[in-house]
Amino acid sequence: FNMVTAEHSMKFDHTEPRPGVFSFGLGDTIVAFAKSHGMTVRGHNLVWYRALPNWVANGTFTRAQLINILRDHIMTEVSHYRGQVNIWDVVNEAIDDRGNLRDSIWLRVIGPDYIDMAFRWAHEANPQALLFYNDYGGEGLNHKSDAIYAFLKGLVARGVPINGVGLQMHVALNRYPRPRDLLANMRRLAALGLQVQITEMDVSI
């Protein structure tokens, strides 16, 4: 293997446990390990509806306040790892299983444009980084993959700095996308100018 993903160590609750107080020790350890073994680090993740510290998850913020919180978090973390982590899952699992934007504090308080903002801030903090949208359940051809495709097509059309999409590939021996559907989905995503990567390959029996 030549890439390591920081599964929890770079998420919001680990990196900013208190307002404006950042903790990168665990992530720095992973980066140092990867560097010593000639490996690339995939930053995971900057914006998610889960793994939030209590002060964010249970906070009462105005839209402007939450925008500033999210911007400061993304800018600080991506800047901290600039030159060391040059691929990021910027937004993770923003589409629910029905194909709608997933309910989250980001969507409720900021609105759907939090996603565009997140990508633009990550690009501003590290213009060299490859920026990905990452999700599960949209690997083959289904209502969720259609929703993800339409969502990504909109980002590209608006000039949002996104480089690729990560397919988490949560599958089981009796539940997996048909290979031809997976290929068709990858091809339509690639036609948008996006890289397509399998980011997890979580297999259950």
Side-chain angles (χ1 to χ4, degrees):
F1 296 93
N2 61 3
M3 179 178 286
V4 59
T5 298
E7 184 176 6
H8 295 292
S9 301
M10 293 183 181
K11 291 176 180 174
F12 208 129
D13 58 349
H14 280 65
T15 54
E16 195 178 356
R18 297 187 302 281
V21 178
F22 288 85
S23 176
F24 295 118
L26 293 176
D28 290 350
T29 299
I30 291 174
V31 169
F33 173 87
K35 183 176 181 180
S36 68
H37 290 81
M39 303 171 77
T40 298
V41 178
R42 183 186 196 92
H44 179 81
N45 55 57
L46 296 173
V47 188
W48 194 24
Y49 72 100
R50 300 179 62 185
L52 297 173
N54 287 333
W55 69 270
V56 172
N58 299 317
T60 303
F61 305 107
T62 66
R63 183 175 187 270
Q65 287 172 332
L66 196 60
I67 287 173
N68 286 333
I69 287 168
L70 186 57
R71 181 185 183 279
D72 289 347
H73 182 82
I74 291 173
M75 294 291 290
T76 301
E77 182 164 7
V78 176
S79 296
H80 176 82
Y81 288 112
R82 184 171 177 169
Q84 302 177 88
V85 178
N86 288 315
I87 180 169
W88 284 96
D89 291 325
V90 177
V91 178
N92 196 57
E93 300 175 358
I95 305 294
D96 67 21
D97 293 340
R98 299 180 301 277
N100 302 316
L101 284 176
R102 185 184 297 278
D103 180 55
S104 69
I105 188 172
W106 313 116
L107 182 64
R108 290 192 303 271
V109 179
I110 298 176
D113 49 346
Y114 83 87
I115 297 169
D116 294 38
M117 295 176 184
F119 278 96
R120 295 188 190 282
W121 293 327
H123 178 69
E124 181 182 349
N126 184 359
Q128 285 71 49
L130 297 175
L131 306 179
F132 278 70
Y133 173 74
N134 193 54
D135 213 328
Y136 69 89
E139 291 79 15
L141 295 177
N142 54 47
H143 68 282
K144 183 167 182 176
S145 69
D146 289 345
I148 291 173
Y149 172 78
F151 160 69
L152 294 172
K153 186 177 181 180
L155 292 184
V156 172
R158 292 193 296 276
V160 174
I162 180 173
N163 302 103
V165 55
L167 306 178
Q168 293 183 19
M169 197 65 75
H170 294 181
V171 299
L173 294 180
N174 62 349
R175 177 180 47 80
Y176 53 88
R178 294 188 299 180
R180 66 184 182 186
D181 290 349
L182 175 61
L183 180 59
N185 189 41
M186 286 180 161
R187 282 176 170 164
R188 68 174 176 175
L189 291 168
L192 295 176
L194 300 174
Q195 294 185 28
V196 183
Q197 297 183 358
I198 303 296
T199 53
E200 286 190 29
M201 198 60 184
D202 181 3
V203 180
S204 60
I205 297 176

